[in-house]
Amino acid sequence: MEIIRKEMKLCMSCMEEHEVEIVRRSECSVYKGEEVDYEAVYEYCDRTQEYLEMEDMISQNDIAMKNAYRRKKGLLTTEDILAIRRKYNISQSDLAKMLGCGEKTITRYESHQIQDVVYDKMLKKIDTDPEWFLTLLKESRGSMALKAYERYYINAANILRGQKDDYLRKSILAQYAEYIDNEDYCGNKEPDLDVVVDTVNYLARRVQELYLVKLVKLMWYADALSFKRYDHSITGLAYQKMPMGTVPIAYQSIIQLEGINYEEIEFDNGGIGLKFHDSGRIGSGLTDDNKKILDDVIRDCGNISRRKIVERIHGEKAYMETCENRVIPYHLAKDLSLA
Ligand SMILES: [Zn+2]
């Protein structure tokens, strides 16, 4: 038995005014043929040694007992259901409409009524699958207020985007698994994708006409210069030697990260270029040293033509001494043409 608090009041057990203890104790009941253990709350009179269950406690203890039953059966508890609803910021009645059950059903599920297995499964699916939430939401658009619908939609779309970004980040880091342990490949730093996003935006904000070809070269120059000065790269990315220059491993996935913005531009010759824009994301991943390096790289290479920057990289010792398609070792950056 655990005392939660004490209250001076008229005790309904001995019918005298004194300090009554509010206590929590373990209970065991049988519900629907299942033995369940849970914590129940009572008032305790130390004079009569009696436990009293007040009106609100009866209700609270019943929910605690049913949540123990739900847990035992692998069903969502009242708190779980509430958490799902909070995640999507949706009202009980609108969620009920989406699931196609009675308007008060969710209200009851969040208290004394044990949910049907079918609705339990639907709620679990909604929890992990915002795309499905959006599908159900669209289907019940006509049955809820437009303002509420729009709010739910934007919120769920954001959750979905975040989920996709998490997946993308995991897949990028998986592609780095074989390089991470080699400090010479990632420049004494583990890949930091927040810093990568900040770096791209920092460059996009300051360099006019920033296309992919130039972007990845400026990134390499910045990482290499940071290694030359401080023995560690800025982003932790590993770069491959390609005919046109230096390209980060997994760059196709990296440019899809949340917070990186680009548009496809069609050239007169029919080719397509990716032009990067500042997404407005104010990142705090860059240190003052990082920014100084980026500024120096922009000053030296930010406004030269694509042909010039390719030529310049081709002349770097780090580039020349690395085999085609191999990762450029950071230690070669010590002889970088930038100081
Ligand atoms: Zn008493």
Side-chain angles (χ1 to χ4, degrees):
M1 184 177 92
E2 174 204 347
I3 299 166
I4 305 168
R5 61 176 193 279
K6 293 176 181 179
E7 246 173 58
M8 187 62 92
K9 61 185 287 186
L10 176 66
C11 173
M12 299 309 281
S13 180
C14 62
M15 297 312 280
E16 280 183 47
E17 179 150 337
H18 70 91
E19 207 173 47
V20 177
E21 292 172 349
I22 316 293
V23 300
R24 187 184 288 127
R25 65 168 206 196
S26 302
E27 297 273 296
C28 182
S29 312
V30 175
Y31 181 73
K32 289 189 176 178
E34 285 287 340
E35 210 172 87
V36 286
D37 299 308
Y38 61 99
E39 303 271 287
V41 178
Y42 295 96
E43 273 187 18
Y44 178 70
C45 172
D46 54 4
R47 301 176 185 184
T48 62
Q49 299 191 324
E50 229 186 347
Y51 291 93
L52 282 186
E53 207 177 14
M54 299 292 112
E55 186 98 7
D56 57 322
M57 292 172 176
I58 295 174
S59 174
Q60 192 186 337
N61 292 342
D62 182 61
I63 291 178
M65 189 264 290
K66 282 174 179 159
N67 274 339
Y69 175 84
R70 285 171 165 120
R71 237 172 257 125
K72 198 164 182 184
K73 288 288 186 183
L75 297 169
L76 297 166
T77 64
T78 52
E79 291 95 22
D80 295 336
I81 299 174
L82 184 63
I84 294 169
R85 215 159 52 68
R86 282 219 184 100
K87 173 169 163 181
Y88 288 102
N89 208 354
I90 188 167
S91 73
Q92 291 176 326
S93 65
D94 283 341
L95 181 56
K97 285 172 195 159
M98 268 178 57
L99 295 177
C101 51
E103 200 157 324
K104 290 266 173 257
T105 310
I106 299 295
T107 315
R108 288 196 287 264
Y109 287 169
E110 283 180 22
S111 66
H112 301 276
Q113 189 183 328
I114 309 268
Q115 64 274 24
D116 290 345
V117 176
V118 177
Y119 289 119
D120 191 76
K121 281 192 177 143
M122 287 171 94
L123 286 164
K124 280 175 185 156
K125 188 164 164 59
I126 280 179
D127 189 24
T128 55
D129 188 350
E131 207 156 5
W132 195 60
F133 178 96
L134 284 167
T135 306
L136 292 182
L137 182 67
K138 282 182 217 158
E139 284 169 8
S140 36
R141 180 177 190 159
S143 65
M144 52 184 82
L146 185 64
K147 269 223 158 105
Y149 172 86
E150 284 171 350
R151 205 178 62 232
Y152 303 150
Y153 191 96
I154 291 168
N155 188 45
N158 281 335
I159 294 171
L160 178 62
R161 207 173 303 131
Q163 211 177 57
K164 284 187 172 160
D165 199 52
D166 284 347
Y167 178 78
L168 191 61
R169 282 168 176 254
K170 281 187 192 128
S171 99
I172 293 167
L173 293 178
Q175 293 178 68
Y176 270 82
E178 60 181 299
Y179 307 107
I180 258 170
D181 290 336
N182 190 330
E183 292 153 353
D184 210 17
Y185 284 165
C186 294
N188 278 333
K189 190 182 158 118
E190 280 195 20
D192 185 329
L193 299 178
D194 288 327
V195 172
V196 170
V197 174
D198 289 343
T199 300
V200 172
N201 281 310
Y202 194 90
L203 292 168
R205 201 172 303 161
R206 291 163 179 80
V207 179
Q208 300 279 317
E209 305 284 307
L210 183 61
Y211 284 89
L212 180 64
V213 179
K214 188 183 261 183
L215 170 68
V216 293
K217 287 171 183 61
L218 295 180
M219 285 169 75
W220 178 73
Y221 264 120
D223 275 327
L225 182 58
S226 174
F227 188 87
K228 183 178 180 180
R229 284 188 193 163
Y230 305 111
D231 283 321
H232 61 79
S233 64
I234 295 174
T235 65
L237 294 179
Y239 294 80
Q240 227 176 341
K241 171 174 171 171
M242 301 296 266
M244 291 294 281
T246 51
V247 174
I249 299 289
Y251 78 95
Q252 298 99 326
S253 303
I254 288 171
I255 61 173
Q256 307 302 331
L257 282 170
E258 184 72 18
I260 293 183
N261 278 3
Y262 65 82
E263 61 174 326
E264 290 184 6
I265 305 274
E266 215 179 317
F267 297 125
D268 291 339
N269 64 11
I272 285 178
L274 306 183
K275 188 176 176 184
F276 289 77
H277 300 283
D278 176 14
S279 72
R281 184 180 121 136
I282 310 291
S284 50
L286 298 174
T287 64
D288 289 343
D289 284 344
N290 295 158
K291 289 175 187 167
K292 174 80 174 58
I293 283 168
L294 286 162
D295 289 340
D296 290 347
V297 168
I298 292 165
R299 194 196 53 230
D300 275 25
C301 314
N303 296 309
I304 60 178
S305 71
R306 170 189 153 127
R307 193 175 53 80
K308 280 258 165 61
I309 196 169
V310 170
E311 271 174 23
R312 180 152 188 180
I313 281 207
H314 283 175
E316 297 290 348
K317 185 181 169 194
Y319 187 86
M320 291 189 289
E321 293 194 0
T322 304
C323 297
E324 213 58 56
N325 298 323
R326 302 306 290 266
V327 171
I328 300 168
Y330 270 95
H331 75 264
L332 295 176
K334 291 289 175 193
D335 294 308
L336 200 69
S337 65
L338 299 177

